[in-house]
């Protein structure tokens, strides 16, 4: 039975402070929940009879709900058969990955959709570690979780002071994109290091910029043509990751 208290609890997880206190997050939809079930501990799962009959579920609590009941608790405009509450994972911090693999860092990226899309891009390009500044939007925001399309199950996301992170590593390429950077298509690129993506409106913060030792530019075409002022941060991330991986291939 879907009680009022359970409905209230699920809706409370829309707020970051409640997600932090409960160490929980919400995922909705058959594809997304299916991807998460094999990777995160499921505290509660609400599914329609039809969905539950097709899935083998391991969860602390499984509740069969009607479409109307799911609509009451769903955060989506069009509820999709299943909603689950998962426990947030805790990953040990290991900065050594920067010395032998390519990683991403998000410097105060604010839009949930952008962060979710970047995590999805990281998954596609085999980048397994994403370091987020303390001012970056919560990856467990329901909108961000949905935008990852399940990639969150395979990518380790950490929240950390980026200045401390960069100061803690030595002789590592620290990449950032700037209008005065070197053309990414002509510059030599490493197979490891940290790629920093900045805030949607302000770019990489001045403090972090001072620690970037490899400045990149995504050129527009043709050179000198009047064009948009900048690229969306998720779109820019896709272009950069694709070029790094193309070189390695």
């Amino acid at each position: 039975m879907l009680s009022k208290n359970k409905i209230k609890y699920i809706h409370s997880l829309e707020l970051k402070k409640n997600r932090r206190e409960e160490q929980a997050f919400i995922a909705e939809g058959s594809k997304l929940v299916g991807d998460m079930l094999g990777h995160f501990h499921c505290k509660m799962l609400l599914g329609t009879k039809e969905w539950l009959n097709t899935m083998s579920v391991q969860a602390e609590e499984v509740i069969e709900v009607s479409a109307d009941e799911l609509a009451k608790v769903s955060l989506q405009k069009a509820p999709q058969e299943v909603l689950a509450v998962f426990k947030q994972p805790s990953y040990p911090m290991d900065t050594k990955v920067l010395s032998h693999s390519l990683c991403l860092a998000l410097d105060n990226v604010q839009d949930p959709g952008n962060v979710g899309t970047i995590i999805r891009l990281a998954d596609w390009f085999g980048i397994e570690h994403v370091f987020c500044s303390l001012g970056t939007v919560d990856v467990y925001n329901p909108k961000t979780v949905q935008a990852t399309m399940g990639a969150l199950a395979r990518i380790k996301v950490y929240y950390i002071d980026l200045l401390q992170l960069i100061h803690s590593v030595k002789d590592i390429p620290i990449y950032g994109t700037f209008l005065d950077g070197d053309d990414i298509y002509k510059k030599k690129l490493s197979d490891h290091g940290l790629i920093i993506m900045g805030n949607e409106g302000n770019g990489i913060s001045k403090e972090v910029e001072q620690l970037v030792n490899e400045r990149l530019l995504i050129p527009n075409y043709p050179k000198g043509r009047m064009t948009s002022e900048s690229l969306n941060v998720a779109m820019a991330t896709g272009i950069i990751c694709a070029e790094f991986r193309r070189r390695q291939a």
Side-chain angles (χ1 to χ4, degrees):
M1 179 68 182
L2 184 60
S3 67
K4 289 183 179 180
N5 283 341
K6 285 186 172 61
I7 294 174
K8 183 178 179 181
Y9 168 71
I10 292 170
H11 280 292
S12 75
L13 296 178
E14 289 187 81
L15 298 179
K16 180 179 179 180
K17 67 175 184 177
N18 294 331
R19 292 194 297 272
R20 181 175 293 173
E21 287 176 5
E22 296 292 330
Q23 284 296 292
F25 70 96
I26 300 167
E28 294 192 59
S30 183
K31 170 67 168 63
L32 182 58
V33 172
D35 283 347
M36 299 288 190
L37 281 172
H39 296 268
F40 302 121
H41 177 78
C42 187
K43 296 164 68 79
M44 183 191 306
L45 185 139
L46 284 58
T48 62
K49 182 178 181 179
E50 293 77 14
W51 190 87
L52 291 172
N53 285 340
T54 63
M55 295 291 291
S56 176
V57 176
Q58 288 188 337
E60 287 184 27
E61 185 176 14
V62 177
I63 303 172
E64 182 181 313
V65 293
S66 66
D68 288 341
E69 287 177 314
L70 191 59
K72 289 180 181 179
V73 74
S74 174
L75 307 184
Q76 303 293 311
K77 291 182 179 179
Q80 304 175 49
E81 299 182 292
V82 62
L83 178 151
V85 177
F86 291 100
K87 182 178 179 181
Q88 293 184 16
S90 178
Y91 302 117
M93 183 70 67
D94 181 11
T95 58
K96 292 180 181 178
V97 297
L98 293 166
S99 65
H100 58 76
S101 63
L102 202 60
C103 302
L104 283 171
L106 306 185
D107 186 12
N108 295 335
V109 179
Q110 294 294 297
D111 184 81
N114 281 337
V115 172
T117 300
I118 288 170
I119 291 170
R120 189 177 177 186
L121 284 165
D123 187 33
W124 182 262
F125 287 109
I127 296 174
E128 298 178 345
H129 303 270
V130 178
F131 297 90
C132 297
S133 71
L134 301 178
T136 293
V137 71
D138 182 20
V139 71
Y140 300 110
N141 180 307
K143 292 180 180 178
T144 305
V145 173
Q146 292 298 129
T148 69
M149 294 296 288
L152 188 58
R154 293 173 291 275
I155 304 301
K156 292 181 173 63
V157 180
Y158 313 86
Y159 281 81
I160 188 173
D161 184 314
L162 289 186
L163 293 176
Q164 290 183 10
L165 171 65
I166 297 170
H167 279 302
S168 72
V169 296
K170 298 184 183 301
D171 302 321
I172 298 295
I174 308 296
Y175 294 96
T177 54
F178 304 93
L179 293 177
D180 63 351
D182 298 322
D183 188 331
I184 189 172
Y185 301 117
K186 299 177 181 178
K187 186 176 178 64
K188 183 179 180 180
L189 302 176
S190 174
D191 62 355
H192 68 280
L194 189 65
I195 302 171
I196 301 173
M197 304 306 300
N199 173 269
E200 289 87 347
N202 301 315
I204 295 173
S205 61
K206 294 299 181 182
E207 298 82 2
V208 173
E209 179 182 349
Q210 293 176 6
L211 302 179
V212 171
N213 53 32
E214 297 287 350
R215 299 171 72 91
L216 302 175
L217 166 71
I218 301 174
N220 65 311
Y221 288 93
K223 186 176 182 180
R225 174 181 174 272
M226 289 294 292
T227 185
S228 301
E229 182 178 321
S230 63
L231 289 172
N232 168 275
V233 63
M235 185 182 296
T237 303
I239 294 170
I240 291 169
C241 291
E243 183 61 15
F244 270 86
R245 291 313 195 203
R246 186 187 71 84
R247 301 286 187 89
Q248 292 173 24

